[in-house]
Amino acid sequence: MDLELGGKVVLVTGGSEGLGAAVARRLVREGAKVALCARGAERLESTAAALRAEGGDVLTVQADVSRAWEVEHFVDAAHARFGRIDGLVNNAGTAAGRPFASVSDAEWEADLQLKVFAAIRASRQALPFLKESGSGAIVNVLAIAAKTPGANSTPSSVSRAAGLALTKALSKELGPHAIRVNAVLVGIIESGQWARRAKEVGKPVESFQQEMARHAGVPLGRVGKAEEFADTVAFLLSPRGGYISGAAINVDGGLSAAV
């Protein structure tokens, strides 16, 4: 299926590895131009080099999205480079789940800055350009805990739930400007953080992920592929998903108890 993304410009936060990099790769293969930001310059440039080797037109900006001015600079730099912005993927974030009583105010604030305020600021900064596009799209990358938070899941589950509310509120407000806003809620998907955890415990990534899926009770019996996640995001960004807005789609192998 041609997703009709050729020539479109899409911004991806947290785009240097894992899910963000997978989205960028999918978009480049569809002919889109991509702007990526991340904190680590070396990994960011390595990902960009691989995308350019596939013919991608890629801009990289080193940025910590928990800092307002760096998010704003990223969006403005992308518009200055490409002259338009058609899509935004708010992907930056990490899993952080601990017992409620052990989470300090500083940790709550850091998580909200990374997962909620970063998405707010990026969306607000990109909004004028998305309006100019005439068919803009925002995809917020969340987690299934946004719908079904469990014990020992703070602060991340609460931040993700706020992202879910932001998605629905913006879809209502921005719809008249032909801007669609959706969320993708991930379960256990291949990512850099799982690879690092596997290394920490001294296990091969594949066996570590199989154990995770089995322990979690994923109905499909496996960890999701980053490419499967990226396919969903690319579809939601594309004109092919042109009548989908305000939706929160689980990409979790059936793990979540909520529809």
Side-chain angles (χ1 to χ4, degrees), residues 187-190 194 205-225 252-255:
I188 304 175
I189 307 286
E190 295 173 344
W194 300 131
V205 175
E206 293 77 9
S207 62
F208 179 75
Q209 290 179 339
Q210 287 174 354
E211 288 179 15
M212 285 174 53
R214 185 166 56 251
H215 177 73
V218 178
L220 288 184
R222 64 177 177 85
V223 170
K225 298 177 182 178
D252 65 349
L255 178 60

Side-chain angles (χ1 to χ4, degrees), residues 13-145:
T13 67
S16 64
E17 64 174 348
L19 300 183
V23 169
R25 189 176 308 111
R26 184 71 167 90
L27 293 172
V28 161
R29 290 174 179 174
E30 289 292 331
K33 302 175 183 179
V34 180
L36 308 176
C37 78
R39 286 179 291 189
E42 184 176 348
R43 192 176 294 132
L44 185 62
E45 290 306 324
S46 176
T47 297
L51 295 173
R52 290 173 183 137
E54 292 191 33
D57 191 351
V58 182
L59 170 70
T60 59
V61 176
Q62 185 178 7
D64 179 347
V65 296
S66 65
R67 297 176 180 173
W69 74 268
E70 294 192 27
V71 177
E72 293 163 1
H73 170 65
F74 168 57
V75 174
D76 290 344
H79 187 263
R81 163 72 179 273
F82 296 117
R84 62 185 294 163
I85 294 175
D86 302 286
L88 168 65
V89 182
N90 288 309
N91 170 71
T94 58
R98 298 183 299 283
F100 170 73
S102 71
V103 185
S104 68
D105 283 0
E107 289 169 325
W108 272 106
E109 183 174 355
D111 202 70
L112 288 165
Q113 287 287 348
L114 177 62
K115 297 188 176 88
V116 182
F117 281 97
I120 290 170
R121 290 163 178 153
S123 299
R124 184 172 57 210
Q125 194 73 9
L127 183 55
F129 309 129
L130 292 170
K131 287 180 178 178
E132 290 175 0
S133 168
S135 59
I138 299 172
V139 175
N140 294 319
V141 180
L142 306 176
I144 57 174

Side-chain angles (χ1 to χ4, degrees), residues 175-210:
H177 300 284
I179 298 172
R180 295 177 296 105
V181 188
N182 292 292
V184 175
L185 281 60
V186 300
I188 304 175
I189 307 286
E190 295 173 344
S191 68
Q193 66 178 327
W194 300 131
R196 287 190 291 272
R197 290 192 187 182
K199 185 176 181 180
E200 288 171 3
V201 299
K203 293 183 178 179
V205 175
E206 293 77 9
S207 62
F208 179 75
Q209 290 179 339
Q210 287 174 354

